[in-house]
Amino acid sequence: MTLMISREHVVIAEVRKCITNNRVNSGDTDYDQQEQRNFNQTIRTMIRTLLVFSFAISVLFTMPNPVIRKSIGLPPQLLPKRPIVSSILNSVVMYWAALIIQHRHATTLTCIGTLLLGMRSKLRLLVHRYNRILAQPVINEQEFFSNIGPEIRETLKNHVEYWRFLSHLKNLVGMSFALVHCCSILNTGIVLFVGKVNGIDFFSVALVFSASFFMIEYLLLCRLVEGLQDEANKICYIIYELCSKIPYSKEHHSTYVQLRSTLMIAWVNTSNGIEMNCYGVLSISSITFVKLVNVTYSVLTFLVGFD
C-alpha cells in the first residue's frame, strides 16, 4: 500500500490542493472556517487513534508467548544458544516488525482517510451553499434571473471543480480498498489457523487485535465513502427543489432552459457519481463489510466443527 501511495503522489497532491485552497467554498466565511476547524479536529483524533492502536499491537507482540513466537518469531537457526539472549532478540524483532508494518499501514490509511474527510468537508460546503440559494425568496422573475441565477451558475462551477478532483480520488480509494480487503482476509485467516492449530490464550490476543485492526480499517473506509454519499443525497434533494423553484419567463426562456438543464445534469451526476467500487468487483459500502464478517463467521464455525 505504501508503494501505491508513492506511485499516486501526483493525484494525492492534486486532491490535497483542492482541500486546502478556497476555490470550493460555501460563500459564507464563518461557516467555512467552522467546517475547517471541525475537519482539523477529526483528523487529529483519527491520527491519534490509529497510532495508539498500532503501538498497542506492537507491545502485545513482545509479550512472551509460545504461540506468537512459534507463528511469527525467528527460526531457531537464527537465534543464539543462550535462552535469555534468544528471548530478548526474538521480542525485539517481533516488536519492530509489528511496529513498522502497523505504522506503515496506519500512515497509509491516515492519508486516504484524510483525503476522504477533506472531500466530505468540501461537499458540506457545497450543501451549505445550495441551501443558502434555496432559502432566498423569489419575488419576481426579473430578480431571480438577475440575482439568484448568477449565484446558481457560480455554485455549479464549484460543483464541477469538486467533481474533477473527486474522480481522481475514486481510483485511489478503489486500489486502497482492494489492498485492505486482501489484508483483512489474510489476517483473519492467520488468526483462525493459529487458533485452530495452537489454541488461543490471553497473550496471543495480539493476533486477534492485529486482525481486528484491519477490519476496523475496512469499516472505516466504507463509512467514509458512505459519508460522501450522504452529503451527495442532500445536494440532490436541494437541486430538485431549486429546479421546481425556477420561475418561467418568456423573456428569459433560453436562460431558464439552460439553467434547468444544467441543474438536472448536476443532479444525475451527483446521484450516480459518488458510488465507489473496487475495480467493479466490490462495492465500497457497509454491506460489503457485513458480507466479509459473515464469511469470517462461516469459516470459524467450519473450523470449530472439527473439534
Side-chain angles (χ1 to χ4, degrees), residues 17-26 32 36 122 158:
K17 186 185 299 183
C18 172
I19 295 172
T20 55
N21 62 33
N22 294 322
R23 295 182 63 177
V24 179
N25 57 79
S26 67
D32 290 354
Q36 183 65 38
K122 288 296 181 180
N158 275 255

Side-chain angles (χ1 to χ4, degrees), residues 18-19 21-28 32 119 121-130 132-133 149-167 235 239 262-263 266 270:
C18 172
I19 295 172
N21 62 33
N22 294 322
R23 295 182 63 177
V24 179
N25 57 79
S26 67
D28 185 348
D32 290 354
M119 294 303 285
S121 178
K122 288 296 181 180
L123 199 55
R124 284 177 175 174
L125 299 184
L126 286 176
V127 171
H128 184 70
R129 187 161 190 163
Y130 276 114
R132 290 177 65 244
I133 296 175
E151 189 171 351
I152 292 178
R153 285 191 286 269
E154 184 65 26
T155 303
L156 288 171
K157 289 181 181 179
N158 275 255
H159 199 152
V160 172
E161 179 78 7
Y162 174 87
W163 227 251
R164 182 169 67 87
F165 289 103
L166 182 65
S167 61
I235 289 182
I239 290 178
T262 306
L263 283 172
T270 304

